[in-house]
Amino acid sequence: MTKQKTNPNPTSPQQAFLQTSRLLRWLAATVVLATFPFDLPQTPYVYLLVAAIALYNAVSYVRHPWTKAVFNSAFVAIVIDSIFVGILLALAGTVNTPYCALLAFNIMGAAYLFRLRGAIIVFLLQAVMLILVSQYSPWDEVEFSQIRLLVILLFMLLALGAWVERLSRNGQQERLALLSQQHQDDSERQRLIALVNSLSDAIFVVSDRGKIIEYNEAAHILTGSSEDIHGKLFAKTIVLRPRSNHSAEPVDILKENSSAQHRRDLQILLEDGSSIDLDIGVTPVHSADEQAVEYIFVCEDITKERSLDEQRSAFISVASHELRTPLAILEGSLETALLSKDQFSEDTKNLLEQSHRNARYLAGIVKDITMLSEAQNDNLPIQLTRLSADAILKDLVKDFEDQARQKNIRIVTTVDKDTPPVLSTERYVHEILQNFLTNALKYSDKGTITLSARPAKNGGAVLAVADEGLGISPKDQKMLFTKFFRVEDFRTRSTGGTGLGLYLCMEIAQRMGARLWCKSTPGKGSTFFLEIPPYSKLQGDQSEVVNAQVANLVDDI
């Protein structure tokens, strides 16, 4: 199929009008010179008028910034042409002259460019000029011979043909450009459809009423239906249930939350009793006028990934359980030996202390890995209690005051009197704050560590640990809460660590509905924040446990 040649840069309607009006202006000037009688008193003025319009026409071809405002404006051109015809009619001494037909081209140009409003404005301008000419023209009426009338008539026909040809040519160029653009858009759309259909993830486009508008091939396969699902309700086509409770009511994601969301706790139950675990991302898309909303659902089958995660978690659970007991025995034995009254040589004592430190270090790693596995698999045990910020910070000071004293670091607490108690799991709050405080001691050689508490905007509490240590660069701050990340600084290389501590804190905080962030200035210290909501926003598979515990707490109160 041959490709039709099109102008890649079609002339705009205004440019087409200006080009055509220049041509007609030359023709009109020529016709006036050829047809206006030579022996009349006003003839010199006619020639002067023609010279002025010719000068205007010539200058309009000049490409210069200062000429654009006047000579490349279609509205200015229409007004000047109307004035030109009005003066010509006045010089002819009457409105009953063949030159009056020139006004029709001005109205046509105004209607072409500015629609009805432009045509009305030019019509009113011309009406005023015609009235003034008919009442106050100082010249006698000019009589034209038959030959002159014939020349003017032929000019009008020629001008009309040129007008129609020029504007229709531009219209054709625009149509061809639109057809070319439409063809490109169709090709892009077909490529996009092919690309989306080649994806392994199921993609649905759903209206704000929950009806399916578009979907790809993977989405059709996920539904298990051979029928067209356009217009069907998403919640009934893809029946989602909590992974932890197959007997629960189906979940309608849009009814629960109409904003952007990401869910990994839902699955589809198949007729043969098996299930498909899904990772579902929902993104709202607003129309240009912000009135209509559509939702893009991206559903990824993570059944195999879940299976591997469960196998990994089972391995970690067994391995950590098997490691925990011998490590505890080893740590206890070494501690007992160090506390015994037996006299050891200095070298033996140093070896025992080194072994004890490493045993505690290994025990800490095992503990972090175990808790991380529980957090990632939503298996964190929940035990809600009413927590006081003041009591939490005091317990932390007791736990770490000996370590701080050894490094000549002072730990102080400041608690805002308006800080409310929060409902959360004490173990996890302590775990996060202990990690913050451990890092503060690890990366500080002197100064003061401040533990503070203040009310949060949402009614919860914000707990913070601020140190005067090394500080963290802005680049490293972005990576602090990622897995296995450690700050790349020659001053921190001597300190040990797996890079799991802050990542674990983030995982726990997300399960608690809490929020973590950090503010730091290199060389001046860092402050880590934990914002605890008034009550924990836990995952769906823990909601029944939480509801029961909240009910018990209310009964106790």
Side-chain angles (χ1 to χ4, degrees):
M1 180 177 179
T2 58
K3 215 174 183 179
Q4 190 172 12
K5 293 184 179 180
T6 60
N7 185 359
N9 298 309
T11 307
S12 67
Q14 178 163 313
Q15 290 174 329
F17 169 78
L18 290 173
Q19 293 172 0
T20 306
S21 62
R22 289 193 196 104
L23 175 62
L24 295 182
R25 223 173 278 127
W26 289 122
L27 290 174
T30 303
V31 168
V32 170
L33 287 175
T35 58
F36 202 88
F38 303 107
D39 52 353
L40 296 178
Q42 63 267 42
T43 300
Y45 298 103
V46 172
Y47 292 161
L48 185 62
L49 177 64
V50 171
I53 202 69
L55 178 63
Y56 170 81
N57 221 28
V59 174
S60 66
Y61 287 99
V62 178
R63 302 297 181 188
H64 196 275
W66 66 269
T67 63
K68 288 184 178 179
V70 177
F71 299 100
N72 286 333
S73 170
F75 180 76
V76 172
I78 291 174
V79 172
I80 289 178
D81 288 343
S82 298
I83 295 174
F84 164 70
V85 177
I87 296 174
L88 181 63
L89 295 179
L91 292 172
T94 179
V95 297
N96 298 321
T97 174
Y99 295 140
C100 194
L102 293 171
L103 295 173
F105 292 101
N106 293 335
I107 294 180
M108 291 168 59
Y112 174 72
L113 289 177
F114 306 110
R115 306 304 178 192
L116 180 61
R117 182 169 53 183
I120 291 175
I121 293 174
V122 174
F123 171 77
L124 293 176
L125 174 63
Q126 293 177 352
V128 171
M129 289 192 307
L130 291 175
I131 292 173
L132 292 175
V133 168
S134 62
Q135 297 295 325
Y136 304 107
S137 177
W139 310 101
D140 295 332
E141 181 178 348
V142 177
E143 294 184 2
F144 292 90
S145 63
Q146 290 294 326
I147 188 64
R148 284 188 170 92
L149 290 175
L150 180 61
V151 171
I152 294 174
L153 176 61
L154 291 175
F155 159 74
M156 294 300 174
L157 293 175
L158 178 62
L160 181 62
W163 177 267
V164 172
E165 187 276 333
R166 282 296 182 96
L167 298 185
S168 62
R169 182 199 304 173
N170 186 67
Q172 184 179 13
Q173 289 178 348
E174 289 183 348
R175 285 193 297 273
L176 291 175
L178 288 174
L179 288 173
S180 176
Q181 185 62 44
Q182 183 179 3
H183 177 71
Q184 292 179 6
D185 292 344
D186 289 342
S187 299
E188 289 291 337
R189 177 168 161 52
Q190 293 300 322
R191 281 196 291 268
L192 182 59
I193 290 174
L195 176 63
V196 172
N197 281 329
S198 67
L199 297 177
S200 58
D201 294 345
I203 300 176
F204 298 88
V205 180
V206 181
S207 69
D208 55 353
R209 296 185 178 181
K211 293 186 177 181
I212 299 173
I213 302 174
E214 294 288 346
Y215 58 92
N216 67 347
E217 188 63 29
H220 201 187
I221 294 173
L222 183 64
T223 63
S225 171
S226 58
E227 300 178 357
D228 184 13
I229 58 175
H230 281 103
K232 294 187 177 181
L233 289 173
F234 177 82
K236 292 186 177 180
T237 306
I238 302 292
V239 182
L240 301 170
R241 298 182 189 274
R243 190 169 60 88
S244 59
N245 186 2
H246 295 173
S247 61
E249 290 295 320
V251 176
D252 189 338
I253 294 182
L254 292 183
K255 284 186 177 179
E256 290 186 355
N257 186 358
S258 60
S259 60
Q261 53 185 307
H262 184 207
R263 302 283 296 269
R264 291 177 63 91
D265 60 325
L266 301 175
Q267 64 178 194
I268 301 175
L269 296 181
L270 303 179
E271 295 180 356
D272 59 1
S274 60
S275 61
I276 299 176
D277 294 326
L278 295 177
D279 181 316
I280 303 176
V282 183
T283 304
V285 179
H286 297 268
S287 61
D289 56 4
E290 296 291 333
Q291 297 296 321
V293 181
E294 295 177 353
Y295 299 89
I296 298 178
F297 283 71
V298 180
C299 305
E300 179 186 359
D301 185 350
I302 57 171
T303 307
K304 292 182 179 179
E305 180 184 336
R306 281 283 188 187
S307 177
L308 292 174
D309 284 343
E310 290 172 358
Q311 294 176 25
R312 182 191 62 187
S313 298
F315 171 76
I316 291 175
S317 177
V318 172
S320 60
H321 178 74
E322 294 297 326
L323 287 172
R324 193 181 301 130
T325 301
L327 282 173
I329 294 173
L330 177 61
E331 184 181 350
S333 301
L334 292 170
E335 188 171 351
T336 301
L338 288 170
L339 295 175
S340 68
K341 297 180 180 180
D342 296 337
Q343 296 296 323
F344 296 105
S345 66
E346 191 65 27
D347 291 340
T348 302
K349 189 174 181 180
N350 289 337
L351 288 172
L352 288 173
E353 289 177 349
Q354 185 178 359
S355 300
H356 184 247
R357 283 195 303 271
N358 282 282
R360 292 184 61 182
Y361 177 67
L362 285 174
I365 293 177
V366 171
K367 174 190 170 187
D368 287 348
I369 291 175
T370 302
M371 186 171 289
L372 179 61
S373 177
E374 291 175 348
Q376 290 181 329
N377 290 282
D378 302 332
N379 291 327
L380 288 176
I382 302 302
Q383 185 62 48
L384 296 181
T385 53
R386 188 180 176 86
L387 304 178
S388 166
D390 186 53
I392 293 172
L393 298 185
K394 285 181 179 178
D395 289 344
L396 284 172
V397 173
K398 290 179 182 178
D399 293 340
F400 287 88
E401 59 184 354
D402 289 339
Q403 296 181 37
R405 194 180 300 113
Q406 292 174 7
K407 299 189 70 172
N408 294 321
I409 294 175
R410 191 164 62 100
I411 301 179
V412 298
T413 61
T414 59
V415 180
D416 191 305
K417 63 180 181 179
D418 296 326
T419 304
V422 292
L423 190 65
S424 192
T425 304
E426 184 176 10
R427 171 190 170 191
Y428 304 135
V429 174
H430 271 283
E431 182 71 29
I432 293 173
L433 294 176
Q434 283 175 0
N435 194 290
F436 288 172
L437 190 48
T438 299
N439 286 341
L441 287 169
K442 185 186 296 185
Y443 299 111
S444 299
D445 295 327
K446 58 181 180 179
T448 302
I449 294 177
T450 304
L451 310 182
S452 61
R454 59 177 171 82
K457 292 181 180 179
N458 65 355
V462 177
L463 307 179
V465 177
D467 63 58
E468 299 174 355
L470 301 176
I472 306 167
S473 68
K475 175 185 175 183
D476 289 336
Q477 288 180 42
K478 298 177 182 179
M479 303 291 293
L480 274 180
F481 297 99
T482 56
K483 192 185 296 185
F484 302 123
F485 177 77
R486 298 201 66 211
V487 174
E488 294 184 1
D489 192 312
F490 71 93
R491 294 170 294 180
T492 65
R493 291 175 185 172
S494 59
T495 59
T498 60
L500 285 174
L502 292 177
Y503 175 73
L504 175 60
C505 291
M506 181 60 77
E507 288 289 329
I508 295 173
Q510 288 177 349
R511 299 307 186 274
M512 293 166 54
R515 191 165 70 96
L516 300 185
W517 72 96
C518 169
K519 292 182 179 180
S520 182
T521 303
K524 294 185 178 180
S526 307
T527 303
F528 284 83
F529 298 89
L530 166 63
E531 181 180 343
I532 308 173
Y535 55 88
S536 291
K537 301 174 183 177
L538 301 169
Q539 299 297 309
D541 58 347
Q542 298 167 337
S543 58
E544 295 181 2
V545 177
V546 173
N547 290 336
Q549 292 180 6
V550 171
N552 291 336
L553 284 172
V554 172
D555 292 341
D556 293 340
I557 294 173

